Amino acid sequence: MASKTILELKQVDKFFGDKAAVERISLEIVEGEFFTIVGPSGSGKTTLIRMLVGMDTPSRGDILLRGERINDVPANKRPTCMVFQSLALFPHMTVGENVAYPLKCRGIEPGARKARAEECLTLAHLPMEYYDRPVTQCSGGERQRVALARALAFDPDILFFDEPLSALDYKLKKLLEKELKDIQRETGKTFIYITHSLEEAMVMSDRIGVMNEGRMVQIGAPREIYRRPNSRFVSEFMGEVNVLPVTAKGGKLHCQSLGTSFEVPPGAQETDGVLIIRPEDMRFVNGEPPVNGVLSGEIFNEYLLGSRVQYQVRAGGTTLLVEKQRDSAAPDPAARITFAPENSMLFAE
Amino acid sequence: MTDTAETLPETMADASDGANQLRQIPAGVWCAAPIGLLLLAGFLAPLIMVVLFSFMPRGTFSPFGVPTLENYVDIFTQKFYISFGWSLFLALISTAILMVVSYPLAVAIRRAAPRRALVLTILIVAPLFVAENIRLQGWVLFLDKAGVLDGSVKALTGFEIGSLVTNVPAIVFGIVYVYLPFMLFPMIMGLANVPPDVKEAASDLGASRWQMFRDIELPLAAPGLLIGGLLCFVISLGAFSEAKFLGKGVVVTIAQDIESAFTFGQNWPRGSALSALVIILAGAAVYLAMRRLDLEKMLGRAS
C-alpha cells in the first residue's frame, strides 16, 4: 500500500474566547487508513473534527487536503463528509431519500440516484425494502446504517465519524464496529473516527491519536499505544493500572508507602515519579526467586472478567490490581506480588 | 383511568341517590366543565344565533321568524361580493408579505443569544399593549398629508410627499404591521423544530444554502409557518380598522359591511348572513391547512 498523505494538520489551534480548545495539533493521515482520535470528554476531539469537516475554521495553523490548504473551505464544498453523533438524519424523508440526498444536491438524475443509493444500502447491510420506509420508523441500529449509507453515497475522500455508536447497546456496537472496519477495507476509504472509548479505538483502528486537554499526546498503532504509552495520562486512559509513587534512591526506585524498592525499567532514566504496571503484568510469587521487589498484601476481592480474574489486593494503604487466567490455581489470600521490570513504566512527576 | 371507565356504568346504575352519582364523575370532567360551559355560552351559542338570524327575513329582530334565503341572495345581487373579494385579497397578500417579512426575523431571533432574543421579543410584543386603533391612528398622523413625515420632509427639503394613506398599500401595510407577532411567533416555534445538526449534515453532504433551505429547513419548519399563515389569514380576513383608518374608505372590507348591516342598516339578518359566509370561508381555510398538518409531528410525538 502506497502511503500517501491525504490530510495534514500543521500546528492547528482553535480558541473560543481566550480558551484554547485545540492546541498545536500536527498530524498526518495516510490515504486509506482507519485513524481514531481518542480522548476523554472535553479533550477537544469534537472541536478538532469540526474543523476537519469544515464546520469550524482553525484560529491558527493549516489544514491541507492532498497538499491544498482547505482552512476556509466550507463543509459543503469539501470532498469529505461526516456521520454525526446524533446521526442527523432528515426526519421528513424516507430511508432512500436520505441516502440519495447528497446525489440530489449534486444534480444527479433520479434513476442514477436510486441505483447508487441502493448500492450504498447494500454496502451498509440494509435490506432493499427499507428504501421507501420513513426514517422515523427505523430502529437505532438501522438508523446508524442509514447514516452510514448516506455518507457513503456522498463518496467522500475522507469519511469522518463523531462517536456515532455511543448510544447503542453493547452487542450492536460490537457488530457495527466490525462492519465498519469491513466497509473501510472494502471501499479502501480513509476513515477518521473519534470516540472516548479506547476499546472501540483498539478494535477498528490502524492508528490511534490520543488527545488530552486540547493536545495530541500520543500517536501510534494500537499495540504501540497499549504497550508503550508515553505518559501517565495515556497509560491510565488505556485501562486500569497500578500506580506506585516512587523516589529514585541509589539506582533503585523506592516506594515509600509500600516500603519496597524496584528496579528501574530497562531503557528508562532513573527519576522520581510514578511506576505504572498493568494488572495483567502483576504476578503472584510462588516460591521462585523474584527478579524485582516483592509486595505483601491481602486479597480482599476478586472479580471475574471473562477469561480472566481480577484480584484486589490491599497492601500498605493502597489497593493493587492483579489479573490472572481464570483456570490457574487460586492464590494464597496472604499474597506476595511482583512484576518484571520490563513490564513497568516510569514517568517523571 | 380504564378501570374507572369500565366500572362507571355499573356503579351509575346501582347508585340510588344523586350525590353518589356526582361523586362518580372523574375529576377531569369537573376541571373541564368551566371552560366547556364558557365555550358553549360564548362561542357556540352566538354562532348558532348568527346562523339562525341569517335565515330570517330582512330587518327583523327575532330569530324565530319564517326561514328564508333572501339574505344570501342579496349578498350576490347587491354586490357584497366586492367587499368579500377585497377582504380575501387583502388577507392573502398580507399573509404572503407577513411570511416573507417574518422569516428572516424569526431566523435571527432563533440564532440570537438568549438575552438578545428576549430583548427582540419584548420589542415586538410591546406594541400589543397599546390598542390597535390608537396605533393605527398614530400611523395616519405620521403618513397623512401634512402629517409628521410629509411635514418634516417639506420643512427640511421643500419637497412635498403628500398623503401616503387612503390607498390599498396603506391598508396592507397596516395589516402587516398589526399582525406581525401572530406570524412571527408560530414561525419561531416552527424553526425550533429544525435541529441545527440536521442543517449542518445537509450542508456537509453538499447542499448549497438554497438547497438546504428548500429541502430541509422549510419542510421541517412547515407546521409553524402553516399555523402562522392560517392565523394571519383568518384574522386579516376580518380586518376592519386598517381599511377604515389607513384606507379611509377607499375600499370596503367585509367586516365593515357586517358592521354597517348591524348598526346603520339595522338589518341583523343581512349582517348574520355575511358573517356566516366569512365563518365558512375561514373554516374552509383552516380545514384545508389542517388536513396537510400532522399535529402529532408538530407536538414532537413522531420520531
Side-chain angles (χ1 to χ4, degrees):
Chain A
M1 213 198 291
S3 53
K4 224 171 70 193
T5 301
I6 182 163
L7 187 73
E8 190 179 357
L9 278 76
K10 284 183 176 166
Q11 300 284 320
V12 170
D13 284 335
K14 178 71 185 178
F15 293 97
F16 291 118
D18 47 2
K19 199 191 164 298
V22 160
E23 242 183 316
R24 260 170 288 157
I25 290 193
S26 293
L27 185 64
E28 276 185 38
I29 309 281
V30 176
E31 182 114 47
E33 82 172 320
F34 198 129
F35 190 92
T36 303
I37 299 165
V38 209
S41 5
S43 58
K45 49 194 196 312
T46 297
T47 309
L48 179 65
I49 206 166
R50 286 181 62 87
M51 289 191 283
L52 299 184
V53 179
M55 289 168 195
D56 260 326
T57 48
S59 307
R60 262 205 303 263
D62 285 323
I63 301 172
L64 307 172
L65 182 70
R66 299 187 199 284
E68 258 176 75
R69 187 174 178 276
I70 53 161
N71 284 23
D72 305 315
V73 179
N76 60 355
K77 301 256 165 59
R78 290 191 191 189
T80 60
C81 137
M82 170 155 102
V83 176
F84 285 65
Q85 181 165 23
S86 64
L87 304 181
L89 296 175
F90 307 133
H92 57 303
M93 296 185 187
T94 63
V95 168
E97 285 167 341
N98 262 281
V99 176
Y101 190 67
L103 308 168
K104 187 184 169 196
C105 289
R106 233 170 275 169
I108 292 168
E109 54 96 18
R113 225 190 274 169
K114 183 159 192 221
R116 171 77 187 134
E118 282 175 347
E119 257 174 58
C120 294
L121 283 186
T122 314
L123 205 54
H125 301 280
L126 268 175
M128 217 43 79
E129 63 262 27
Y130 274 64
Y131 195 90
D132 292 314
R133 192 169 291 190
V135 78
T136 45
Q137 283 176 18
C138 292
S139 71
E142 288 159 1
R143 282 158 182 250
Q144 293 285 341
R145 294 171 197 276
V146 176
L148 178 63
R150 186 176 69 176
L152 288 169
F154 181 82
D155 195 22
D157 287 3
I158 304 176
L159 192 45
F160 293 95
F161 296 86
D162 183 4
E163 307 203 39
L165 303 182
S166 57
L168 296 179
D169 64 78
Y170 186 79
K171 213 174 136 190
L172 194 55
K173 195 156 141 176
K174 288 281 136 203
L175 177 73
L176 285 168
E177 277 171 13
K178 266 194 208 99
E179 286 188 12
L180 213 54
K181 181 73 193 153
D182 290 346
I183 289 169
Q184 193 256 343
R185 256 196 225 125
E186 248 171 79
T187 57
K189 286 198 183 303
T190 311
F191 279 24
I192 299 181
Y193 194 100
I194 71 173
T195 176
H196 62 268
S197 155
L198 189 83
E199 210 187 332
E200 219 170 286
M202 289 285 183
V203 174
M204 297 187 289
S205 326
D206 295 320
R207 281 197 306 154
I208 295 175
V210 185
M211 276 187 83
N212 186 31
E213 291 174 351
R215 287 166 184 267
M216 195 65 88
V217 288
Q218 191 174 3
I219 298 172
R223 177 186 298 271
E224 195 183 321
I225 298 231
Y226 187 77
R227 286 321 317 180
R228 283 192 296 281
N230 65 1
S231 62
R232 180 177 174 180
F233 170 79
V234 175
S235 65
E236 285 185 307
F237 193 68
M238 289 286 140
E240 288 181 302
V241 288
N242 295 296
V243 181
L244 306 176
V246 291
T247 45
K249 217 182 234 174
K252 290 240 182 185
L253 300 169
H254 184 68
C255 180
Q256 193 85 49
S257 58
L258 296 168
T260 317
S261 291
F262 303 101
E263 302 288 334
V264 178
Q269 283 295 321
E270 180 188 343
T271 172
D272 295 353
V274 287
L275 204 54
I276 289 183
I277 312 102
R278 295 189 185 288
E280 70 264 30
D281 292 328
M282 294 286 228
R283 46 186 195 81
F284 295 107
V285 185
N286 297 318
E288 77 269 27
V291 289
N292 206 350
V294 174
L295 301 160
S296 297
E298 208 172 310
I299 297 177
F300 73 98
N301 234 338
E302 60 175 85
Y303 295 111
L304 209 57
L305 308 170
S307 62
R308 285 192 299 202
V309 189
Q310 186 184 78
Y311 297 94
Q312 295 193 337
V313 183
R314 209 172 266 151
T318 55
T319 300
L320 300 169
L321 303 175
V322 183
E323 277 176 31
K324 286 184 65 172
Q325 288 301 313
R326 187 172 49 181
D327 44 2
S328 55
D332 189 348
R336 284 159 47 79
I337 311 164
T338 191
F339 52 88
E342 65 268 25
N343 285 337
S344 61
M345 299 164 272
L346 179 64
F347 298 113
E349 244 167 35
Chain B
M1 274 304 274
T2 21
D3 280 351
T4 334
E6 273 165 17
T7 54
L8 203 57
E10 207 182 289
T11 42
M12 292 261 273
D14 289 347
S16 46
D17 57 339
N20 204 13
Q21 279 188 14
L22 274 180
R23 227 169 287 137
Q24 295 300 325
I25 298 173
V29 172
W30 285 114
C31 292
I35 188 69
L37 287 175
L38 188 73
L39 280 176
L40 269 176
F43 179 74
L44 204 60
L47 211 62
I48 292 168
M49 286 297 279
V50 162
V51 174
L52 266 178
F53 259 114
S54 73
F55 292 107
M56 293 299 111
R58 285 186 207 98
T60 53
F61 295 97
S62 160
F64 305 113
V66 186
T68 165
L69 278 174
E70 60 187 29
N71 300 302
Y72 289 96
V73 176
D74 284 354
I75 291 175
F76 294 97
T77 52
Q78 299 191 14
K79 302 199 171 160
F80 280 110
Y81 55 84
I82 297 176
S83 51
F84 254 117
W86 273 114
S87 277
L88 210 54
F89 169 77
L90 288 172
L92 282 173
I93 197 155
S94 305
T95 305
I97 293 175
L98 273 165
M99 284 220 175
V100 176
V101 171
S102 303
Y103 199 84
L105 192 56
V107 171
I109 290 178
R110 277 286 304 158
R111 277 196 205 153
R115 213 183 177 79
R116 192 173 293 182
L118 185 70
V119 172
L120 281 170
T121 308
I122 288 172
L123 283 176
I124 289 156
V125 172
L128 291 178
F129 291 111
V130 179
E132 182 191 330
N133 287 357
I134 296 173
R135 281 184 287 147
L136 288 174
Q137 290 293 9
W139 277 111
V140 174
L141 291 178
F142 185 78
L143 296 172
D144 211 347
K145 187 173 163 66
V148 177
L149 183 67
D150 184 40
S152 308
V153 170
K154 196 175 164 190
L156 290 172
T157 64
F159 178 73
E160 224 171 297
I161 301 175
S163 172
L164 290 176
V165 291
T166 328
N167 53 39
V168 174
I171 302 174
V172 173
F173 168 79
I175 295 175
V176 167
Y177 162 74
V178 170
Y179 298 135
L180 182 76
F182 298 93
M183 178 64 90
L184 186 68
F185 293 113
M187 218 173 223
I188 292 173
M189 187 196 83
L191 283 171
N193 282 345
V194 190
D197 56 347
V198 168
K199 288 201 286 179
E200 275 185 336
S203 163
D204 185 40
L205 290 164
S208 64
R209 262 166 199 278
W210 163 246
Q211 284 170 325
M212 198 265 284
F213 172 75
R214 185 194 59 194
D215 300 336
I216 312 296
E217 194 165 75
L218 214 50
L220 287 178
L225 307 195
L226 216 56
I227 295 241
L230 207 57
L231 213 55
C232 287
F233 177 76
V234 169
I235 48 185
S236 50
L237 198 59
F240 174 85
S241 318
E242 293 80 5
K244 193 171 173 183
F245 299 140
L246 288 165
K248 293 187 177 179
V250 67
V251 295
V252 175
T253 65
I254 193 63
Q256 284 171 293
D257 268 347
I258 293 171
E259 194 222 13
S260 54
F262 275 108
T263 55
F264 306 123
Q266 288 292 304
N267 194 346
W268 291 11
R270 171 178 292 165
S272 298
L274 289 170
S275 302
L277 274 187
V278 173
I279 291 166
I280 289 168
L281 208 61
V286 173
Y287 173 73
L288 285 177
M290 281 301 173
R291 260 202 339 186
R292 299 212 45 187
L293 204 75
D294 191 344
L295 267 178
E296 290 278 302
K297 213 177 215 168
M298 225 172 56
L299 298 171
R301 297 257 173 75
S303 91

